[in-house]
Amino acid sequence: MAKTSATIRDVARAAELSVASVSRVLNGKDNVHPDTRERVLEAVRALGYTPNAAARSLSTARTHALGVVLPDLHGEFFSELMRGIDRAASAHGYFPLLSSMHADGVLAGQAMAAMRGRVDGLLVMAPQLDAADLAAALPTGLPTVLVNCQGEDRHHAFRVDNRAGVRLMVEHLLACGRRNIVHIAGIEDNLDASERRDAFSEVMAELAPDQPARILQGDFQEATAGRLVQELLADDVPFDAIFAANDMMALGALQALREAGIDVPGRVAVAGFDDVPLARFLSLSTMRVDIDGLGARATERLIEEMEGRADAPAFERLTPGLMARGTTQASN
Amino acid sequence: MAKTSATIRDVARAAELSVASVSRVLNGKDNVHPDTRERVLEAVRALGYTPNAAARSLSTARTHALGVVLPDLHGEFFSELMRGIDRAASAHGYFPLLSSMHADGVLAGQAMAAMRGRVDGLLVMAPQLDAADLAAALPTGLPTVLVNCQGEDRHHAFRVDNRAGVRLMVEHLLACGRRNIVHIAGIEDNLDASERRDAFSEVMAELAPDQPARILQGDFQEATAGRLVQELLADDVPFDAIFAANDMMALGALQALREAGIDVPGRVAVAGFDDVPLARFLSLSTMRVDIDGLGARATERLIEEMEGRADAPAFERLTPGLMARGTTQASN
DNA sequence: CTGAAAGCGCTTACAG
DNA sequence: CTGAAAGCGCTTACAG
């Protein structure tokens, strides 16, 4: 009933023991007499005592929190990633502490610095920072794991294997009999966008060297892709497949084609990347990226590092899976 | 270069000042000589010093973190809510500390207790807990704001105004000339589901007392709604509109109608609730719930409470907006 | 098995 | 304007 919550001293007093004994019981040490344990537990219950986390952190230099630094994310990607992170974190008794980050490198550094003393480790996703800015922003001496970051080899890093994903999709399109595939690239300076674009060129050169491999500059936006497809049609450019760098652009392309009365997939196949929930509804073929799994694995690795049982930092690629659906169905 | 990070003592030593002066500068107090300030700032820079948050929390009894306790959420709802929370929190210098919560009332209480000393306030969303379990789980003495929780009047609470939303949609359907509206309710024991169901009955009784107001028991699942519509068709039940308690069920209904060759909206109008991103794509008419705004407003209110400048706890209803789209378009 | 005491890194009256 | 010192609530050698 006290205005301010009970402390360990109150518990000690109530149990007629020292704070040391209370602390031992609370931390599950085995060098306590059963009777002592009982009295402590009883007092804890009676007072509704919960240890003060800040005091504990100060003593132990551990916070049981882990910092999650993310760009300003929308939608499914964010929720799935957090889902994986949260699942892994809570399984090990950690809380995720969130910090959104804006594009500016200096601000990013401040955001991460502000987490010092608040977290035992950092999970950073910063696709918008170049290697130098990222290196400058990362705090030293704090276990850190990177997701979707550019060239940084002092920390363990996770990325989607865009190359493998693009290869799977191109193979699928070729297997469906497509011969004239147009790639709509994502926004410039984005790592995923450029990896997917480059992989498209290379895989096409390898698997179908005699066929065109046209690339249009998109920006991951649905409307832009729709416009690009309209231009393609207006210019009478021949093509029998659109492979967009993400699902939203694939959907934009799909709508533009349907509005133009083009049969999909009869005349043109459409494919995307990401497997957003919409894709399933609209029968869009795409590459499934296991974002939840990515978040969980990155978190597991971070916790291993925080608890000093991690291997040397490495670079992990997660391969997406092909989801072949209606928009690329072979017509024969 | 020290293995362990610099402390305020290191800064004081480097600047040849007391820790008190360093602390004053760091906290922006004005009773410091400009030269002193300069020397401190210089030393901070040289040592790359960042104050230890746990120590600061222990001294000030403030953490600058706020606990966010959520059920196991998926998708857009979660990301939009977190977006709003994060925006408001970071605008005031707070970090969101996340904790997912499972259905069990006792576990929920433990999750919240574990946040004691870690956060200055709590934002709780627990639609699955009844009033008694919720009251038992909430820690005392911590500023708390509720979102989508059942009857609890000691704390400020936010909810979507389901009643107003249902009324808007029913008015719209009637205005479109629909006369035989079927409501597919959400899962039993869910607060939103029952509010929407009850509102449907009442609004229909008020605005169209002579017309049928059939209600089918759904469960918020797409497949279930599809099945219910098939049954309706098989039984030859007459209806010219389906108003589902959420968008996913509306989509299930939509698919079932189309598969049965029924003209939408020519013969049957379809409407949902939530405005998920899919709704826009599929031209589904629905009620738009501003989740991002909900998160932000709840957070603002929590911070006001934490900083002792809040009004008395109240109950706030956020009215959703009508998104009239293709599936209910008047055919005349 | 238990307790007295030091220490974690800050902030903040208090005295000057 | 500045510094010495107490105190925030814990944990953990250390001595017994």
Side-chain angles (χ1 to χ4, degrees), chain B residues 155-176:
Chain B
H155 300 286
H156 201 78
F158 291 85
R159 279 186 61 73
V160 168
D161 195 337
N162 289 308
R163 191 163 303 269
V166 166
R167 168 177 287 267
L168 286 170
M169 184 57 86
V170 168
E171 284 172 351
H172 169 64
L173 290 170
L174 292 172
C176 289

Side-chain angles (χ1 to χ4, degrees), chain A residues 8 18-29 32 40 56:
Chain A
I8 196 172
S18 71
V19 294
S21 289
V22 176
S23 176
R24 286 187 198 104
V25 171
L26 262 27
N27 289 289
K29 309 282 184 192
V32 269
V40 168
R56 189 172 265 182

Side-chain angles (χ1 to χ4, degrees), chain B residues 10-217:
Chain B
D10 300 323
V11 176
R13 197 173 307 128
E16 296 182 299
L17 287 163
S18 70
V19 295
S21 289
V22 176
S23 177
R24 285 185 197 106
V25 171
L26 263 27
N27 289 289
K29 309 282 184 192
D30 49 359
N31 52 346
V32 268
H33 192 95
D35 293 354
T36 301
R37 181 179 309 278
E38 202 39 63
R39 272 158 63 200
V40 169
L41 263 22
E42 176 53 35
V44 164
R45 219 169 299 130
L47 296 172
Y49 170 73
T50 319
N52 179 299
R56 189 173 265 182
S57 291
L58 187 55
S59 279
T60 60
R62 314 217 34 237
T63 63
H64 289 279
L66 45 88
V68 177
V69 181
L70 300 175
D72 194 29
L73 288 177
H74 279 268
E76 206 67 16
F77 189 94
F78 171 75
S79 56
E80 285 301 298
L81 188 69
M82 283 309 305
R83 223 179 136 63
I85 292 172
D86 183 74
R87 181 156 37 79
S90 67
H92 294 270
Y94 288 88
F95 287 102
L97 188 69
L98 234 61
S99 172
S100 290
M101 186 181 48
H102 302 281
D104 186 286
V106 176
L107 288 179
Q110 287 174 353
M112 297 191 213
M115 289 203 148
R116 226 212 82 196
R118 294 179 163 277
V119 300
D120 296 334
L122 229 44
L123 178 39
V124 177
M125 167 157 158
Q128 79 286 16
L129 259 43
D130 63 34
D133 279 352
L134 177 62
L138 290 177
T140 61
L142 196 60
T144 299
V145 159
L146 270 23
V147 173
N148 266 16
C149 287
Q150 307 193 38
E152 225 292 358
D153 47 8
R154 293 173 309 171
H155 300 286
H156 201 78
F158 291 85
R159 279 186 61 73
V160 168
D161 195 337
N162 289 308
R163 191 163 303 269
V166 166
R167 168 177 287 267
L168 286 170
M169 184 57 86
V170 168
E171 284 172 351
H172 169 64
L173 290 170
L174 292 172
C176 289
R178 307 300 164 168
R179 289 295 169 264
N180 199 328
I181 309 174
V182 175
H183 179 64
I184 304 183
I187 195 162
E188 285 189 274
D189 294 332
N190 176 286
L191 203 49
D192 286 311
S194 51
E195 284 189 358
R196 289 171 195 177
R197 185 188 351 90
D198 296 349
F200 178 73
S201 297
E202 292 169 27
V203 172
M204 286 298 285
E206 179 192 337
L207 300 183
D210 304 334
Q211 290 160 32
R214 187 183 305 266
I215 295 178
L216 304 180
Q217 182 64 53

Side-chain angles (χ1 to χ4, degrees), chain B residues 196-311:
Chain B
R196 289 171 195 177
R197 185 188 351 90
D198 296 349
F200 178 73
S201 297
E202 292 169 27
V203 172
M204 286 298 285
E206 179 192 337
L207 300 183
D210 304 334
Q211 290 160 32
R214 187 183 305 266
I215 295 178
L216 304 180
Q217 182 64 53
D219 57 3
F220 284 142
Q221 306 282 317
E222 178 192 344
T224 304
R227 206 169 21 72
L228 289 169
V229 167
Q230 284 164 359
E231 289 172 15
L232 232 40
L233 295 171
D235 296 349
D236 244 347
V237 175
F239 62 97
D240 59 8
I242 298 279
F243 177 14
N246 73 343
D247 285 348
M248 293 317 287
M249 291 200 298
L251 295 178
L254 197 56
Q255 285 192 328
L257 289 169
R258 288 194 174 146
E259 276 165 22
I262 309 256
D263 177 22
V264 175
R267 200 168 123 207
V268 176
V270 175
F273 209 108
D274 288 346
D275 198 26
V276 300
L278 267 167
R280 189 175 57 81
F281 262 88
L282 304 181
S283 293
L284 176 68
S285 290
T286 184
M287 296 307 303
R288 166 136 189 71
V289 177
D290 181 12
I291 303 299
D292 172 307
L294 178 61
R297 293 216 8 217
T299 305
E300 293 283 354
R301 163 73 202 202
L302 177 57
I303 291 171
E304 283 171 17
E305 224 162 279
M306 283 160 25
E307 299 181 345
R309 49 188 176 79
D311 305 334

Side-chain angles (χ1 to χ4, degrees), chain A residues 5-315:
Chain A
S5 333
T7 72
I8 196 172
R9 301 180 78 99
D10 300 323
V11 176
R13 196 173 307 128
E16 295 182 300
L17 287 163
S18 71
V19 294
S21 289
V22 176
S23 176
R24 286 187 198 104
V25 171
L26 262 27
N27 289 289
K29 309 282 184 192
D30 48 1
N31 52 345
V32 269
H33 192 93
D35 293 355
T36 302
R37 182 179 308 278
E38 205 37 66
R39 274 157 63 199
V40 168
L41 263 22
E42 177 53 36
V44 165
R45 218 170 299 131
L47 295 172
Y49 170 73
T50 318
N52 179 299
R56 189 172 265 182
S57 291
L58 187 55
S59 280
T60 60
R62 313 215 37 234
T63 63
H64 289 279
L66 47 87
V68 178
V69 181
L70 299 175
D72 194 27
L73 287 177
H74 279 269
E76 206 66 16
F77 189 94
F78 172 74
S79 57
E80 285 302 296
L81 188 69
M82 283 310 305
R83 224 177 135 62
I85 291 172
D86 183 74
R87 181 155 37 79
S90 67
H92 293 269
Y94 288 89
F95 287 102
L97 188 70
L98 234 61
S99 172
S100 292
M101 186 181 47
H102 302 280
D104 186 287
V106 176
L107 288 178
Q110 288 175 352
M112 298 190 211
M115 289 203 147
R116 229 212 78 196
R118 295 180 163 277
V119 300
D120 296 334
L122 229 45
L123 177 41
V124 177
M125 168 158 156
Q128 79 286 14
L129 258 42
D130 63 35
D133 279 353
L134 177 62
L138 290 177
T140 61
L142 197 59
T144 300
V145 159
L146 270 23
V147 173
N148 265 17
C149 288
Q150 308 193 36
E152 225 290 0
D153 47 8
R154 294 172 308 173
H155 300 287
H156 201 78
F158 290 85
R159 280 185 62 71
V160 168
D161 194 338
N162 288 307
R163 190 163 302 270
V166 166
R167 167 177 288 267
L168 286 170
M169 184 57 87
V170 168
E171 285 172 351
H172 170 65
L173 290 169
L174 292 172
C176 288
R178 306 301 165 166
R179 289 297 170 261
N180 199 328
I181 309 174
V182 175
H183 178 65
I184 305 183
I187 197 164
E188 286 189 272
D189 295 332
N190 176 286
L191 203 48
D192 286 310
S194 50
E195 285 189 357
R196 290 171 195 178
R197 185 188 351 91
D198 295 350
F200 177 73
S201 298
E202 292 169 26
V203 171
M204 286 297 286
E206 178 193 337
L207 300 182
D210 305 334
Q211 290 160 31
R214 189 184 304 268
I215 295 178
L216 304 181
Q217 182 64 54
D219 56 4
F220 284 143
Q221 306 282 320
E222 179 193 343
T224 304
R227 208 168 18 72
L228 288 169
V229 167
Q230 284 165 358
E231 288 171 15
L232 233 39
L233 295 172
D235 296 350
D236 244 345
V237 175
F239 63 98
D240 58 10
I242 298 279
F243 178 14
N246 74 341
D247 285 348
M248 294 316 287
M249 290 200 298
L251 296 178
L254 196 58
Q255 286 192 328
L257 290 169
R258 289 194 172 144
E259 276 166 20
I262 309 256
D263 177 23
V264 175
R267 199 168 125 204
V268 175
V270 175
F273 208 109
D274 288 346
D275 197 27
V276 300
L278 268 167
R280 188 175 60 81
F281 261 87
L282 304 181
S283 292
L284 175 69
S285 290
T286 183
M287 296 307 304
R288 165 134 189 72
V289 177
D290 180 13
I291 303 299
D292 173 306
L294 178 62
R297 292 211 17 211
T299 304
E300 293 283 355
R301 161 76 202 201
L302 177 58
I303 291 172
E304 283 170 16
E305 224 162 278
M306 284 160 24
E307 299 181 346
R309 49 187 176 79
D311 304 335
F315 188 56

